[in-house]
Amino acid sequence: MHIVVIMPRWVGDVVMATPLLRGLRRHFAGRARITGVLRPLAVDLLAGSDWFDDTILYDRRSPDAAIRFSAVVRQLRADRPDVAIIIPNSLSSAALAWAGGARRRIGMAMHWRRWLLTDPVTPPRKHGWIEPFSSAAYPVQLAGLIGMPAEPLRLELAVSAEDEQLGAAVLTRLFPNHVPQSPLVVLNDGAAFGPAKQWGMDKVAILARRLVERLPAVRVLLHCGPGERDEARAAVEAAGHPAVQSLAAEPHLPFGLSKAVIRRAAVVVSTDSGPRHIAAAFQRPTVVVH
């Protein structure tokens, strides 16, 4: 059997799909080939796991025609899936599975796409409104239609040996006066949707300064993405303490580095964004600020 999983676009949603991926691998081990259809960033995020036998890169907004809708449809049709589990609730993701020739197409019956699905799952409603449902629970519910048992909703990511070495080297370089066992606090104020979800780097700088003043052994690391380097540098300067540093000077900021440093954190303070979910996948104590 060939199972295709059409993955979400956003980092947090990818992480919350990991109970489904773990369950598919366990239940269908040796009996099915599992292909992930996902953005390049999700490949990096999930690196180190063995949940997919094959991957197909897909980003309908990419400037690279080789990973847009039509090209991915051709790839799917060349090796027609028996089942497509469609995690995103978008019309375009269901259309991809339909156009790609998947024999069974399982997804939530939302956003006018029921007719594209062979197995539409109706979301729970109360007083005519769709009830909130767990973003980790409902992909597992979808896989139940092909016989996968309910999977514990434990998020999970892996870190490669190379990324572990990179994380250790970066922390040693940033905090030369601290031993590796010193408590590490990771602060993150980034958000894919911009200022609407951000706390404010001025507040981050104040918190960082207070942490190092009250906990002399602590290291405070400001996490940042490629587009947030200037803000992170400014926050470090405002904190004005050698025990407060950021990733801003790193030439490359792969997910592997983020995973490696977050996995080492004693606590993570983050906006409701990707690093918050990465921390949850490593069972790190996390404070989410709004």
Side-chain angles (χ1 to χ4, degrees), residues 30-289:
R31 298 187 291 123
R33 180 161 55 91
I34 303 170
T35 298
V37 178
L38 65 176
R39 295 176 69 192
L41 66 81
V43 174
D44 294 340
L45 180 62
L46 296 176
S49 69
D50 63 351
W51 294 320
F52 295 132
D53 297 297
D54 300 293
T55 57
I56 296 175
L57 299 183
Y58 171 56
D59 186 349
R60 65 188 178 87
R61 301 175 184 174
S62 173
D64 183 359
I67 64 173
R68 291 204 298 264
F69 188 94
S70 297
V72 173
V73 164
R74 288 193 293 271
Q75 291 184 70
L76 291 173
R77 283 194 168 275
D79 190 4
R80 189 176 179 189
D82 296 293
V83 178
I85 297 174
I86 308 160
I87 299 178
N89 291 321
S90 64
L91 180 62
S92 63
S93 59
L96 183 72
W98 174 81
R103 295 174 176 85
R104 291 185 68 183
R105 301 176 296 278
I106 305 170
M108 287 288 174
M110 301 172 66
H111 305 300
W112 305 283
R113 67 185 199 157
R114 180 184 288 268
W115 66 277
L116 292 167
L117 305 172
T118 60
D119 297 76
V121 177
T122 302
R125 290 180 178 269
K126 186 175 183 180
H127 306 305
W129 296 92
I130 294 176
E131 289 191 290
F133 49 87
S134 166
S135 294
Y138 90 82
V140 173
Q141 179 185 351
L142 298 178
L145 273 68
I146 56 172
M148 191 188 90
E151 181 74 11
L153 300 180
R154 177 174 56 84
L155 309 184
E156 182 179 344
L157 290 173
V159 182
S160 70
E162 293 79 10
D163 289 334
E164 288 282 16
Q165 293 172 3
L166 174 62
V170 168
L171 292 175
T172 299
R173 184 164 60 251
L174 292 176
F175 302 102
N177 298 322
H178 290 72
V179 297
Q181 294 75 27
S182 299
L184 175 68
V185 177
V186 175
L187 306 183
N188 171 70
D189 192 46
F193 291 101
K197 281 193 172 185
Q198 290 177 305
W199 192 34
M201 277 295 189
D202 54 337
K203 298 183 182 70
V204 170
I206 293 170
L207 174 60
R209 181 74 191 195
R210 289 181 178 177
L211 284 170
V212 295
E213 287 176 346
R214 297 184 183 186
L215 303 168
V218 78
R219 299 170 293 170
V220 178
L221 178 68
L222 274 59
H223 181 276
C224 64
E228 300 155 353
R229 296 177 190 269
D230 290 343
E231 292 86 348
R233 290 189 185 97
V236 169
E237 184 176 353
H241 195 286
V244 179
Q245 300 293 333
S246 82
L247 296 177
E250 291 304 306
H252 304 290
L253 295 171
F255 275 116
L257 175 58
S258 294
K259 290 190 293 182
V261 297
I262 288 173
R263 194 189 68 80
R264 286 173 163 81
V267 65
V268 176
V269 181
S270 176
T271 53
D272 184 11
S273 58
R276 171 235 180 134
H277 297 92
I278 294 173
F282 291 115
Q283 293 82 52
R284 295 295 82 207
T286 305
V287 177
V288 180
V289 294

